[in-house]
Amino acid sequence: MSSLACSPIDRISMARHQRWDPQPPFTQNRAVIAKPHRLCDQNLKGLHSPLTPRLDRRASAEASMEQLQSGLGGLGLTVSTVPEKGRCLLTTRDIHPGEVIISEEAYVCVPNNSSSEWRCEGCFTSRNLKKCSACHVVWYCGSQCQKSEWKFHRFECDALSKLDKERRKSITPSIRLMLKLYIRRKLELENIIPASAMSNYKLVEALVSHMSDIDEKQLVMYAQMANLVNLILQWPDIEIKEIAENFSKFACNAHTICDSELRPLGTGLYPVISIINHSCLPNSVLVFEGRSAVVRAVQHIPKAAEVLISYVETARSTMTRLKTLKEQYLFACKCPRCIKVYDDIQESATLEGYKCKNNGCDGFLLRDSDDKGFICQQCGLSRSKEEIKKIASEIKSLSDKALMSEASHHSQEAISAYKKIENLQRKLYHHYSISLMQTREKLLKMLMELEDWNEALYYCRLTIPVYQRLYPGFHPLLGLQYYTCGKLEWLLGDTENAVKSLTNAVDVLRLTHGTNTSFMKDLLLKLDEARAEASYKLSSQDE
């Protein structure tokens, strides 16, 4: 992709972002999960037990929470317990928009390496990489990152080097994250890495695992993964049940680490930030500066209020958000946005439903009483099921063709197919449709890769009103979309509009990203240069 910016289709939802994906130990053998071997069956016994975590661990966790309270006090924060929600983070002072509420280094983290993409273990860059000559699993960009990670990697390297070559290739980031968790615990116990009130293994023990709420299939997978970790480390003081429970904690608490443009780089565990609860109307946002997680206020948060972030993509209907939260995080959201029943009906019909046949009407459609079609709730015009099915079928056929063209690297054919899809979706869906927006995002990404800046700008501009409708004014995805639009406009010589777009981007992103990161400094410099150029053009016209 060009250096302009990533398409927002590559970005992921904010706050807990794409929470940890619990991969099976060997990704090419997913089917084996359905038929666990006897050892897994044995280790499943007791995983639902109310005695997990043990009482002594619970007491230890409570002691660590008392220490955490003292550490949070200097930040104007405190941990409290709320009925139905459990632990939460409250303010003990007023917090202003753009202010950093809390920042935390990853307790453990790994880059999201795959068979086709690798990143440095230390800084997550993908440039100038060299593989560890011993384990052939971990990559580094240079000696500085290698030295900084050696305390961890010397144990992991020794363990991984004992595996056969094929098994080593199959180690997933999830398995590596767990290996590093136990290595970190070992280093703390041996006082090689100091523990603190804000960073210690007891905070991991205090995290919620939801083991009693997950199904048997998930338990089997965690047991398999725990067996593999135990096999790799071969440390006698580790229990299989504890490892499995920690995998369940990863599923509820690990975060995807992103760059400033919200492109995923790795996965990390942040035990203190994991205390922050979810809302579909959050007052804070989570971003990353390197491997550090930073929570900033996006609105005024009064003293004694709860700090809230969003765990999921908020540009969805309430029904979709509730379903995602229940499946991934095992709770039913009761935030103000989720309890508005009528608003949800209209929202769902607008974001995920069909448009009125009257192009001048902005109404939303609901099924008619005899289920033969859909009726516009504003003008009363109806659309038949047959008409909608016909267009939907054409879209499906073209989507299959576009995917095949992409897989064959026939970019122009794929773009042509997506343009036809976009045209049909405009006839079928409401202009605030998420499906329509996603197709335009896809076109934006592909056109930027081909450096077709004019058409890329065309589709980018089409997405802006939808972003403004779907996201609150302070959302970083909206700011990044302004940023992409502004850079395209400036590149094409539309300096006046570039200044407007980049100004909009700065107004949002200075709140979510601060102003001291290299990303924001670069953005502010671009805005200054664009303003200077616009001023020069204006003065030249006057002469």
Side-chain angles (χ1 to χ4, degrees):
M1 184 176 292
S2 79
S3 60
L4 266 176
C6 74
S7 166
I9 201 168
D10 292 329
R11 302 172 184 140
I12 57 181
S13 59
M14 289 305 299
R16 299 206 175 191
H17 304 288
Q18 271 178 341
R19 292 296 287 273
W20 173 77
D21 179 19
Q23 306 134 323
F26 301 109
T27 53
Q28 70 270 37
N29 292 326
R30 286 181 181 266
V32 80
I33 295 169
K35 296 182 179 180
H37 52 75
R38 190 170 299 169
L39 182 59
C40 282
D41 281 332
Q42 291 171 347
N43 288 322
L44 281 173
K45 295 176 181 178
L47 289 185
H48 281 311
S49 170
L51 296 179
T52 304
R54 293 176 175 179
L55 293 177
D56 57 339
R57 286 182 187 163
R58 187 173 297 168
S60 176
E62 288 174 358
S64 74
M65 290 307 297
E66 290 179 6
Q67 295 174 356
L68 176 61
Q69 290 282 28
S70 64
L72 291 172
L75 301 175
L77 300 168
T78 186
V79 177
S80 185
T81 302
V82 176
E84 296 186 2
K85 296 178 73 172
R87 294 185 304 165
C88 63
L89 196 66
L90 301 180
T91 61
T92 58
R93 61 181 178 87
D94 283 3
I95 295 179
H96 304 288
E99 188 176 346
V100 173
I101 299 172
I102 187 172
S103 63
E104 182 180 7
E105 291 290 328
Y107 187 74
V108 287
C109 62
V110 292
N112 286 345
N113 290 340
S114 65
S115 59
S116 59
E117 184 179 16
W118 304 274
R119 293 190 178 277
C120 173
E121 189 72 12
C123 65
F124 291 2
T125 185
S126 57
R127 299 176 182 176
N128 304 318
L129 299 180
K130 290 184 179 180
K131 190 185 294 185
C132 173
S133 59
C135 70
H136 301 283
V137 173
V138 176
W139 297 75
Y140 296 102
C141 66
S143 58
Q144 185 175 347
C145 282
Q146 187 175 23
K147 288 177 182 177
S148 69
E149 291 295 312
W150 181 241
K151 283 182 183 178
F152 282 95
H153 187 57
R154 66 190 180 97
F155 294 99
E156 183 187 24
C157 187
D158 180 61
L160 293 176
S161 298
K162 294 174 183 176
L163 300 176
D164 63 73
K165 186 177 180 181
E166 287 306 308
R167 182 165 285 190
R168 247 182 282 165
K169 288 180 180 178
S170 303
I171 298 297
T172 64
S174 305
I175 296 296
R176 290 202 55 234
L177 192 65
M178 187 62 71
L179 293 174
K180 294 186 80 169
L181 178 66
Y182 281 98
I183 291 169
R184 173 76 186 246
R185 186 179 76 166
K186 175 183 174 67
L187 294 174
E188 279 187 16
L189 290 173
E190 295 175 357
N191 294 318
I192 297 173
I193 291 180
S196 68
M198 299 280 285
S199 181
N200 61 78
Y201 187 77
K202 292 176 183 178
L203 294 175
V204 177
E205 290 182 328
L207 293 174
V208 175
S209 67
H210 289 293
M211 285 292 282
S212 61
D213 299 320
I214 60 178
D215 60 30
E216 195 78 1
K217 184 177 179 180
Q218 199 79 359
L219 283 173
V220 170
M221 186 170 73
Y222 291 157
Q224 285 186 316
M225 297 168 78
N227 272 309
L228 178 57
V229 170
N230 190 52
L231 174 68
I232 294 170
L233 289 177
Q234 296 185 18
W235 291 352
D237 58 336
I238 300 179
E239 297 180 1
I240 297 291
K241 293 174 186 177
E242 181 192 351
I243 302 172
E245 185 178 354
N246 278 334
F247 273 121
S248 187
K249 288 179 180 180
F250 281 0
C252 301
N253 297 283
H255 297 70
T256 295
I257 300 170
C258 301
D259 66 9
S260 294
E261 295 188 51
L262 307 189
R263 292 171 292 206
L265 304 175
T267 305
L269 187 65
Y270 300 84
V272 180
I273 284 177
S274 291
I275 296 171
I276 300 175
N277 285 320
H278 163 85
S279 173
C280 298
L281 289 171
N283 55 22
S284 311
V285 66
L286 170 62
V287 295
F288 292 86
E289 296 177 6
R291 303 194 316 188
S292 298
V294 181
V295 179
R296 283 189 175 86
V298 292
Q299 62 190 60
H300 174 251
I301 305 176
K303 181 179 178 180
E306 184 178 2
V307 177
L308 298 164
I309 58 177
S310 178
Y311 294 2
V312 297
E313 171 61 84
T314 55
R316 294 289 184 269
S317 69
T318 299
M319 187 180 299
T320 302
R321 294 194 314 275
L322 288 172
K323 183 174 182 289
T324 302
L325 288 165
K326 190 66 176 177
E327 290 176 352
Q328 293 186 11
Y329 308 106
L330 306 172
F331 71 87
C333 183
K334 296 180 180 178
C335 75
R337 188 177 174 190
C338 287
I339 59 176
K340 294 180 179 179
V341 179
Y342 175 77
D343 287 352
D344 177 50
I345 294 172
Q346 181 173 353
E347 181 183 49
S348 297
T350 301
L351 303 183
E352 299 170 356
Y354 308 115
K355 68 173 291 186
C356 180
K357 287 179 70 173
N358 179 3
N359 290 328
C361 179
D362 195 36
F364 64 96
L365 275 60
L366 296 178
R367 291 181 184 274
D368 59 21
S369 57
D370 54 6
D371 198 26
K372 291 183 178 179
F374 298 83
I375 297 177
C376 176
Q377 302 303 295
Q378 184 165 305
C379 71
L381 203 62
S382 64
R383 294 190 78 169
S384 68
K385 270 189 173 181
E386 289 71 23
E387 177 194 1
I388 287 172
K389 283 182 178 179
K390 182 184 177 187
I391 300 175
S393 177
E394 290 181 62
I395 291 172
K396 176 65 170 63
S397 177
L398 283 167
S399 297
D400 293 340
K401 181 180 177 181
L403 289 172
M404 288 178 62
S405 297
E406 276 191 275
S408 305
H409 303 290
H410 296 151
S411 299
Q412 292 294 352
E413 289 182 11
I415 288 172
S416 177
Y418 280 118
K419 284 182 177 179
K420 291 176 182 176
I421 291 168
E422 192 263 353
N423 189 49
L424 286 170
Q425 286 178 329
R426 276 193 287 173
K427 297 177 182 177
L428 181 62
Y429 297 126
H430 195 281
H431 55 265
Y432 287 131
S433 160
I434 293 169
S435 295
L436 177 57
M437 182 189 73
Q438 289 173 338
T439 300
R440 288 168 173 169
E441 293 281 14
K442 188 72 177 178
L443 283 164
L444 170 59
K445 176 188 175 183
M446 298 183 75
L447 290 164
M448 288 180 69
E449 287 174 345
L450 294 177
E451 299 187 3
D452 188 341
W453 310 129
N454 280 295
E455 281 218 86
L457 177 58
Y458 170 75
Y459 286 106
C460 188
R461 282 175 170 169
L462 287 178
T463 66
I464 294 293
V466 187
Y467 269 65
Q468 291 169 333
R469 165 67 170 76
L470 294 178
Y471 296 108
F474 52 76
H475 201 288
L477 285 175
L478 175 59
L480 289 168
Q481 198 73 341
Y482 285 137
Y483 180 47
T484 301
C485 192
K487 288 197 291 185
L488 285 168
E489 287 164 338
W490 194 20
L491 181 70
L492 292 169
D494 188 357
T495 313
E496 184 178 347
N497 281 317
V499 169
K500 293 177 182 177
S501 296
L502 292 175
T503 300
N504 288 336
V506 167
D507 289 344
V508 176
L509 297 176
R510 71 162 69 245
L511 214 61
T512 60
H513 288 57
T515 56
N516 293 323
T517 63
S518 57
F519 168 76
M520 282 304 296
K521 288 176 181 177
D522 181 61
L523 171 54
L524 289 166
L525 180 62
K526 281 183 171 64
L527 177 56
D528 286 342
E529 290 175 353
R531 282 173 172 165
E533 186 176 311
S535 178
Y536 174 77
K537 286 184 176 180
L538 187 62
S539 62
S540 298
Q541 290 174 0
D542 292 339
E543 291 175 3

